[in-house]
Amino acid sequence: NMEMAVTINPRQRGLLLALLAALVLVFVVLRSSNTADVTKDEGNLRSARKETLSETQKSPPPEKPQETEQKTYNRGQRRKHESDGGPMVTSVPEAFIVEMETTKGTFKLKSELAWAPLGVAQFHEMVVTGFFNGDGGIGIFRCVRNFVVQFGIHGDPALAQKWRSKQIKDDPTIKSNVKGTLTFASAGKNTRTSQLFINVGNNKGLDRDFAPIAECIEGCDVFDNLEFKYGEKPNQGRIQSEGNTYLKANFPDLDYITSAKIVY
């Protein structure tokens, strides 16, 4: 094999060095340009992010859904029997006290409209229209110890029938059926009329279906002195159709509510 030696004169060497320097310069310029473009793009991206964040921060928080307006029962509010299941009463106080007289003494009940609006309005109408003040009184026809004493069927069959047609809707239970509270009786859903019972025991088990409308605040010992010997013997159907004539003939020792009036 023959080896060949390459010889470069000084003039050629100078040209090569100049070419190499030119290439290096081009490389440096190109790299610098690319770096500037990348930096510019990153700057634009940061700026866009900043603007987006700023707009997000400026946006108001989402509105909360409006709460459903609660129905309130204010003093003097009208209640119409035909439209909302309430009695024909033009003005019902927010709170009032009823004094009831019986054949065994007098007691007082406090009633508040907020406890059971429809029931309280019905009771208020019964008092102010003289339901309990008729001749012969209103028989306390059901007396069960440690449970209830019940009344509210008028002694005049014609008036008893009139009140049987004045049904009101149920109220939600606010107060509990503890001893001394007054509550409407019913024959099923939305059938309250004029029959009432006073709890003479703690009957919280009734809270699911019966909303108390008043509580005894004075003379509550009257309930313990009522005649309990007849228990549940009086027939409600016969009281409705025959009135006090039936009660006085068959249960001579029965007790009665003889009057009721609002005293406050």
Side-chain angles (χ1 to χ4, degrees), residues 157-202:
L159 288 176
Q161 180 59 37
K162 176 183 176 181
W163 277 90
R164 284 190 73 183
S165 67
K166 302 185 74 169
Q167 293 186 349
I168 59 173
K169 295 178 181 178
D170 295 333
D171 284 300
T173 300
I174 303 298
K175 289 183 67 66
S176 182
N177 285 275
V178 297
K179 187 175 182 178
T181 51
L182 176 71
T183 305
F184 270 101
S186 72
K189 186 176 179 62
N190 299 325
T191 59
R192 295 181 298 172
T193 56
S194 64
Q195 288 199 48
L196 298 146
F197 62 85
I198 292 173
N199 290 289
V200 292
N202 289 316

Side-chain angles (χ1 to χ4, degrees), residues 128-262:
V128 300
T129 57
F131 177 90
F132 298 99
N133 301 338
D135 292 340
I138 305 298
I140 305 174
F141 61 83
R142 184 188 184 200
C143 294
V144 182
R145 288 198 181 277
N146 301 315
F147 185 42
V148 300
V149 294
Q150 187 167 330
F151 53 91
I153 301 176
H154 203 280
D156 180 343
L159 288 176
Q161 180 59 37
K162 176 183 176 181
W163 277 90
R164 284 190 73 183
S165 67
K166 302 185 74 169
Q167 293 186 349
I168 59 173
K169 295 178 181 178
D170 295 333
D171 284 300
T173 300
I174 303 298
K175 289 183 67 66
S176 182
N177 285 275
V178 297
K179 187 175 182 178
T181 51
L182 176 71
T183 305
F184 270 101
S186 72
K189 186 176 179 62
N190 299 325
T191 59
R192 295 181 298 172
T193 56
S194 64
Q195 288 199 48
L196 298 146
F197 62 85
I198 292 173
N199 290 289
V200 292
N202 289 316
N203 298 317
K204 294 182 179 181
L206 300 177
D207 290 353
R208 187 179 69 174
D209 299 311
F210 300 92
I213 62 169
E215 62 183 2
C216 183
I217 59 171
E218 187 178 314
C220 308
D221 58 328
V222 168
F223 311 139
D224 296 325
N225 296 325
L226 296 174
E227 183 55 74
F228 280 83
K229 69 180 179 181
Y230 299 125
E232 300 181 81
K233 292 179 181 178
N235 182 281
Q236 293 188 34
R238 291 193 64 181
I239 303 173
Q240 294 280 2
S241 61
E242 301 174 45
N244 284 350
T245 301
Y246 160 73
L247 289 176
K248 293 184 181 297
N250 294 278
F251 310 97
D253 296 327
L254 198 73
D255 284 306
Y256 293 81
I257 293 175
T258 57
S259 68
K261 61 182 178 181
I262 294 177

